[in-house]
Amino acid sequence: NQAVRFISSLTKELAEVAFPVLRILLQHICVKVPDKSEYRTHAALALSQLLYQLPCAQHADFVTWLYRYSCNSKISYRVFALDVALALLELPEREHDGSLSEEQQAFLKHKFLVQVMVFGRCSDKAPTVRSKALSSFAQCLETKNTSSVENVEELFQSTVGSIALTTHGPTGTSLSNTEGVSRPQKTFPTFKTVDMSNERDANHFDGKEVMAMLRLRAGDEKTNVRKSALQVLMSILKHNVIPCTPEDLAMLQDRCRDPAVSVRKQALQSITDLLMSHPQDVLIQKAWLTGVIPVVMDCESSAQEKALACLDQLLLQPIKHTRHQDTGHSLAWDLLTLLTKESQELSRYLSKAFRVWAKQGRFSSAFVNGVISHVGTERSSPAWMLLAKVAGSAPKLDYSKVIDTWDEISRQRTADLDTTVHVLCVVGSIAKHLSRSIQHKLIDDIKSWLHDFRCPLEAISPAVETLQKLCHASSDALAEAQALLDEICGSLVSVCASCISSVVLKEGGAEQLQEDALVRQLFTLGEAAQLCPAKVEKRIFLLIQSILASPVAVEQSLSPADGEDEDEDHPTTQPLSQFRGSVMPSVVRAHAFITLGKLCLQHEDLAKQCIAALARELEVSKDMAIRNNVVIVICDLCIRYTTMVDKYIPDVSACLKDPEPFIRKQTLILLTNLLQEEFVKWKGSLFFRFISVLVDPNPDIASLAEFCLVHLLLKRNPAMFSQHFIECIFHFNSYERHEKYNRFPQSEREKKLFSLKGQANKEKRMRIYKFLLDHFTDEQRFSITSKISHNVLACFVDGVLPLDMEASELLSDTFVILSCKEIKLSAMRSRPEEDLQPEEDEMAMANAVMQVAQKKLISQVQKKNFIEHVIPIITSLKTLLEQTRLPALRDLMNYLREVMQDYRNEIKELFAVDKQLAAELEYDMKKYEEQLQREQSQELLGGPESLPALVAAQQSPSSEKEAHPGDPHSSGSSTARRDSSPLRAALPPTSSGFITPPARLLKPKPRRMSLNTFAILNSARRAMEAARKQRSRSLGSQPVSPGSQRSSKQVTFSSLSQPSSEGAVLHGRAISTPDKSIDNVTFGAGVSYISRTDTPTSAQEKQARDQPKEVVYLAAPDNPSSQPQPWKVNSPGKRSCTLRMGLRKFSSKTPLKPAN
């Protein structure tokens, strides 16, 4: 501070003389400030104070320089520029003196600092700068300076024009010099120059674009960026900069489930602050409940504590007696009302919070009395809900108001259902605090209420539970309480059985049944039977089974044992034959299954008889409610009788492909619970069926499956994904020929349900593979490549598995997996320089160096593993695929291209065993890059639709004729053609690696040519033109007579004594050029291999010669062309050419002798 005051006083004293030096000092501070948060803050504060000592013109010039400084390539510079901008925003906006231009005036305003310097860095490529810019942007809204808030509001509510920075000079500018200003400044000689960039980050903004950017940043890959984005979003909504929309609130809710704990805690705080600033907004209230309450069951204790603190702040602390009302009181009751009516699914999460608070002794007498005081008011329903949560841990108080409310409800027939359930829970919780007389009175009331079946269906279970608590509270000994329960519940079971018998056993009873009454009786029977299992007679089992008899519609499709699992060893427990073809409604049968399940929980013999029938019902039943209830029953029985039910788990897992989304979701949740508690193991097809839910057509179910797998099941078994990955490839391709994989038993129905075979489902399979690989550790990724090579690819190389079309689909998936980025090690994918944290620059640099060294080491190990284990198998498999012409060869070549991109400099080392393969791959890669460039050029020229015309222009007219086997142009021509495309698998390969297509394939078809083929034709055409020009130079251009022009258009090499064949016509041959290699030269009569002279003297002949020929005899265009076989003949054309060129020294030499 003293240094700042000293410099300020010195500047005031020296005035004009000190301004250039002060400017250099400020630049020096920017360049030399240590990259630590505390140092940056003090330096920015000092810089902002000293900057105000400069006149307005120099101030504007320095802000101009500071903007260019904020665009520097060094991360620490950009971060410090944001600190300076924040420090300047804390000071009042400077008034200009009237001598500045409009452009210079703009740099003095806070608007430039907020909208350009701060907001422009929110999309910086460095995550540290993005995070700093976003947090600075949030501080602009939270500051007391109203101008900053107005500037942010303007950014969202209107289009902001760019501030022209045309006077900044070229891109490379020194930090100590600002060009283009009104007054030139001198540069202090001791400072070094630093290259800058004056590129603008943003030109025009509007509210939608800004919000789109914020939503993008809220999902950023870096934790600090997401946290800062949440702060900005909360500040914007909090200050009503834009209207609050469900989309923005959904973003805050989603971040409450963020993978990073710090982001979850920030989201909880942000949404709580937002609600406190807008307590009357129902939309925000619902978002707060949905976002905060589930976090009380978070796996991280710190996140749980944060959620509990937010709930305590808004739900518990404001609750007071009716005599004491305040502002927060209304918000708490509004939230509780929403929990009672619209957000009841959150009640189980809230119960966890109240259990934690009960252990902490949070519910005092004053709190409970305050809640009771609201009973009977307009807040009666939420008050009862809250009282039901806290009554279990409440002290002994005057609960007469609770008893009076129960008396009113028991006499009414139209009482509110939710209030009834809550009152019953409160009565059960306070039973131990009641007198014996009140306890017995309540027992009699509830008993008679259940006997008369006046109890609503949803209240039966709470009523029976309350009855049990009252019996235990009214008895001193456990045996006495159980005897009382047997008496009360036994009579209840008898009454229910009597009522059900009157409907089922009497003739015509089914036609006169009251559905609601029968459902209540079945449900009451199941609840009461669990409390007195000894009072349940076997005839009751028969009674329930008779209701479950198969309906008439499906009776014919069931075997005699279906539906009831008849067993000759247990004739007394089987349904009678007259119950076949039951006419009971589906609702009654659905509730009967629940009752049967409750009976099975207490009677193992009944469970053994019924479990098979229950599993069969999942397959044959057409009613959704029945299938849903049966799934619940089987999963509950699995907990009680694990060994017995284990073999029926495949029937339950088949419901993951049920037509109804509700049943798929229910099955997913139930199986997850069983797997978490290890009542069920990952055996057979269970893992593959579970993982297939990731591609469920319902996105909510797919998202739930991902959550269950990653956050619940993978944490218990980290090796789960890697252990099943190889078998996933076989299973999802329905490949069953392997002796080890995909050998578990499945019915044809189950195979059809879970099949992902074929090209139509390839995208779904890839999604599953990539999801699994995404959650591999680096150790698992490192080993999976070798495992795939030895367990999948080697089986086909060794001949263990046949290479056919079914295998081609399997291999295609395998090569795509090996090519995908998810299988690469995270160390090989990350870029350490992006993770550099300026807060700890030295440590960050050390970590970056370590990461680079680690990456190099891992790369060497991976390369060695690749050479030893993968390359031999890949090269052998490539040869086999070429021979069998399978489509999987294309994917293999794509994989090898991917390998070449990763190991471009080590290709010769990788493919040292097969140099021909390495050469082919290099050629393929070159053509692939040319193809990409050509695609881009085609897009610029008008899109890919212009390609067929260009290809047609390059095709030879003679290629429209079919090449006959007897044509010398077609015979053997294909041996000189080299097809580098992976599609050459469609053609029969030769032993040398080149493709020999049959003659019929030379017939052109009306189809688009591939870009690779197009490239080869262009290369061939250019090579032919070059060769033709070379021959033209060697032949010269000597005049010929018109007769010779006409006669030289076509020549023959057939016998002179035989008629010339059209198929043997040659075009454009020189007199000394053989048409092909001559193995056996015979100078017999009538035979000539020498054609007549053809010289390019006319335009017509030149045009005919330039036309492409039917067959091109050409090697690879990128290889050096081989020299033609020399002929020991002195050509007259060569002499004339030599004379015309003036090379007299050659003419004086003795000609070479023709002898060899």
Side-chain angles (χ1 to χ4, degrees), residues 44 53 65 87 108 138 239 297 400 406 435 446 462 523 613 700 723 875 1050 1059 1068:
Q53 302 299 322
W65 177 90
L108 295 179
H239 293 88
M297 300 184 73
S400 58
W406 165 250
S435 62
I446 297 176
F523 202 84
D700 293 335
Q723 289 172 349
T875 52
Q1050 54 184 12

Side-chain angles (χ1 to χ4, degrees), residues 33-80:
V33 62
D35 199 12
K36 300 287 183 179
S37 178
E38 184 179 356
Y39 291 110
R40 288 202 314 266
T41 303
H42 288 296
L45 182 61
L47 189 148
S48 62
Q49 294 174 356
L50 293 175
L51 182 60
Y52 272 64
Q53 302 299 322
L54 292 173
C56 292
Q58 281 85 349
H59 185 126
D61 293 341
F62 185 83
V63 173
T64 305
W65 177 90
L66 186 66
Y67 171 74
R68 296 205 304 275
Y69 171 84
S70 70
C71 300
N72 189 272
S73 59
K74 196 170 182 179
I75 294 176
S76 59
Y77 287 2
R78 304 202 295 272
V79 172
F80 182 68

Side-chain angles (χ1 to χ4, degrees), residues 66-241:
L66 186 66
Y67 171 74
R68 296 205 304 275
Y69 171 84
S70 70
C71 300
N72 189 272
S73 59
K74 196 170 182 179
I75 294 176
S76 59
Y77 287 2
R78 304 202 295 272
V79 172
F80 182 68
L82 293 170
D83 286 320
V84 175
L86 280 182
L88 291 174
L89 288 172
E90 294 293 332
L91 300 175
E93 190 172 284
R94 190 162 184 177
E95 297 293 337
H96 61 88
D97 53 9
S99 63
L100 302 180
S101 64
E102 292 185 2
E103 180 183 346
Q104 288 179 315
Q105 293 175 16
F107 294 111
L108 295 179
K109 296 180 180 180
H110 285 178
K111 177 179 177 180
F112 176 79
L113 298 174
V114 173
Q115 298 181 356
V116 178
M117 288 196 63
V118 175
F119 183 76
R121 292 293 100 200
C122 290
S123 297
D124 195 279
K125 66 178 182 179
T128 306
V129 183
R130 293 200 301 270
S131 175
K132 178 67 176 178
L134 287 167
S135 60
S136 302
F137 195 63
Q139 290 181 37
C140 294
L141 283 166
E142 298 297 332
T143 185
K144 297 179 181 179
N145 193 339
T146 56
S147 64
S148 299
V149 178
E150 291 173 357
N151 291 327
V152 174
E153 291 177 352
E154 181 183 350
L155 184 64
F156 280 86
Q157 295 172 358
S158 63
T159 301
V160 180
S162 60
I163 300 175
L165 300 177
T166 57
T167 62
H168 290 176
T171 301
T173 310
S174 66
L175 287 176
S176 53
N177 182 30
T178 304
E179 300 178 8
V181 295
S182 59
R183 184 180 303 169
Q185 302 289 342
K186 295 183 178 180
T187 302
F188 199 76
T190 60
F191 292 141
K192 297 179 180 178
T193 58
V194 180
D195 290 337
M196 300 296 301
S197 172
N198 63 352
E199 181 185 358
R200 277 296 306 268
D201 294 285
N203 292 329
H204 297 276
F205 303 108
D206 58 34
K208 292 182 179 179
E209 292 177 352
V210 174
M211 289 307 299
M213 184 275 296
L214 287 178
R215 294 188 186 103
L216 186 64
R217 297 281 79 82
D220 197 275
E221 60 179 350
K222 298 299 180 181
T223 300
N224 290 334
V225 179
R226 298 199 298 273
K227 285 178 59 180
S228 302
L230 292 177
Q231 294 175 357
V232 175
L233 183 63
M234 184 274 296
S235 299
I236 290 171
L237 299 178
K238 177 181 176 180
H239 293 88
N240 294 318
V241 177

Side-chain angles (χ1 to χ4, degrees), residues 540-790:
I540 295 178
F541 303 157
L542 178 62
L543 203 59
I544 301 301
Q545 288 175 333
S546 64
I547 297 176
L548 298 178
S550 303
V552 180
V554 297
E555 182 184 8
Q556 300 300 326
S557 63
L558 298 176
S559 62
D562 283 334
E564 311 304 330
D565 195 30
E566 295 186 54
D567 193 333
E568 295 179 358
D569 297 336
H570 303 277
T572 58
T573 63
Q574 300 310 306
L576 301 176
S577 58
Q578 64 262 30
F579 295 124
R580 286 294 184 186
S582 171
V583 292
M584 288 292 174
S586 295
V587 177
V588 175
R589 296 185 71 239
H591 281 86
F593 275 108
I594 293 292
T595 303
L596 179 63
K598 293 174 180 176
L599 295 175
C600 289
L601 288 174
Q602 299 292 342
H603 300 85
E604 186 175 358
D605 291 339
L606 180 64
K608 289 180 180 179
Q609 298 171 20
C610 296
I611 184 63
L614 291 171
R616 176 66 172 164
E617 198 71 28
L618 292 175
E619 182 178 347
V620 302
S621 178
K622 304 297 182 184
D623 188 85
M624 184 189 76
I626 291 177
R627 296 199 305 275
N628 177 72
N629 291 354
V630 170
V631 170
I632 295 174
V633 168
I634 294 179
C635 290
D636 282 348
L637 293 177
C638 184
I639 298 175
R640 184 66 184 271
Y641 314 110
T642 305
T643 306
M644 179 197 308
V645 182
D646 186 64
K647 63 180 179 180
Y648 297 102
I649 291 299
D651 298 279
V652 176
S653 63
C655 294
L656 292 171
K657 291 295 182 181
D658 194 274
E660 296 293 336
F662 180 80
I663 295 181
R664 299 202 299 271
K665 183 177 180 180
Q666 184 87 298
T667 306
L668 184 66
I669 295 172
L670 293 171
L671 284 175
T672 301
N673 292 335
L674 293 175
L675 288 164
Q676 274 188 291
E677 300 299 328
E678 296 188 351
F679 291 109
V680 171
K681 304 290 185 182
W682 291 115
K683 295 192 301 184
S685 60
L686 180 58
F687 176 84
F688 311 102
R689 295 182 181 184
F690 202 105
I691 207 78
S692 67
V693 187
L694 291 170
V695 293
D696 192 277
N698 189 316
D700 293 335
I701 297 177
S703 176
L704 177 62
E706 182 175 344
F707 173 81
C708 293
L709 283 165
V710 175
H711 297 283
L712 301 179
L713 300 174
L714 186 62
K715 290 183 177 180
R716 297 186 65 89
N717 185 6
M720 176 177 67
F721 288 172
S722 60
Q723 289 172 349
H724 294 87
F725 188 81
I726 301 293
E727 194 162 7
C728 278
I729 304 175
F730 289 92
H731 177 77
F732 291 124
N733 282 282
S734 301
Y735 194 88
E736 299 179 347
R737 298 185 182 181
H738 199 280
E739 61 180 7
K740 177 181 177 183
Y741 297 119
N742 201 26
R743 304 299 296 176
F744 37 79
Q746 290 187 97
S747 65
E748 290 300 323
R749 171 180 171 271
E750 291 171 342
K751 289 180 182 179
K752 185 177 180 180
L753 276 176
F754 291 91
S755 176
L756 289 177
K757 184 180 181 181
Q759 189 66 27
N761 293 313
K762 185 166 186 175
E763 183 181 354
K764 294 181 179 180
R765 297 196 303 271
M766 289 302 117
R767 270 193 292 172
I768 294 174
Y769 300 145
K770 291 179 180 179
F771 170 82
L772 296 176
L773 290 171
D774 261 334
H775 296 91
F776 273 27
T777 63
D778 272 351
E779 292 81 6
Q780 292 168 347
R781 290 193 185 99
F782 183 80
S783 61
I784 196 64
T785 303
S786 299
K787 290 182 179 178
I788 290 175
S789 300
H790 289 100

Side-chain angles (χ1 to χ4, degrees), residues 505-551:
L505 300 179
K506 286 187 179 180
E507 186 177 354
E511 286 77 10
Q512 300 176 1
L513 66 87
Q514 295 181 1
E515 190 174 290
D516 293 341
L518 184 56
V519 166
R520 283 199 195 101
Q521 292 157 9
L522 285 169
F523 202 84
T524 305
L525 173 62
E527 291 293 323
Q530 293 185 92
L531 298 180
C532 57
K535 298 294 182 179
V536 181
E537 301 175 354
K538 289 187 177 182
R539 69 183 188 89
I540 295 178
F541 303 157
L542 178 62
L543 203 59
I544 301 301
Q545 288 175 333
S546 64
I547 297 176
L548 298 178
S550 303

Side-chain angles (χ1 to χ4, degrees), residues 981-1092:
S981 171
L983 292 176
R984 64 174 176 266
L987 306 174
T990 63
S991 58
S992 62
F994 299 109
I995 307 303
T996 308
R1000 67 176 184 276
L1001 293 181
L1002 295 176
K1003 182 179 180 180
K1005 298 181 180 179
R1007 63 178 179 87
R1008 293 180 60 176
M1009 299 179 65
S1010 67
L1011 291 174
N1012 205 5
T1013 306
F1014 185 44
I1016 293 175
L1017 289 177
N1018 278 338
S1019 301
R1021 180 174 55 81
R1022 289 194 296 267
M1024 286 292 293
E1025 289 176 354
R1028 194 175 294 114
K1029 289 178 181 178
Q1030 184 178 1
R1031 286 199 303 271
S1032 299
R1033 286 194 300 268
S1034 64
L1035 291 173
S1037 55
Q1038 48 189 13
V1040 293
S1041 63
S1044 65
Q1045 291 180 16
R1046 288 191 299 269
S1047 63
S1048 64
K1049 291 183 179 180
Q1050 54 184 12
V1051 296
T1052 67
F1053 60 91
S1054 58
S1055 173
L1056 297 178
S1057 61
Q1058 295 177 355
S1060 175
S1061 171
E1062 287 186 4
V1065 175
L1066 295 177
H1067 299 271
R1069 286 288 178 186
I1071 187 170
S1072 62
T1073 306
D1075 61 332
K1076 62 177 181 179
S1077 300
I1078 306 175
D1079 298 325
N1080 186 12
V1081 180
T1082 304
F1083 294 93
V1087 178
S1088 173
Y1089 270 84
I1090 303 176
S1091 58
R1092 282 166 288 178

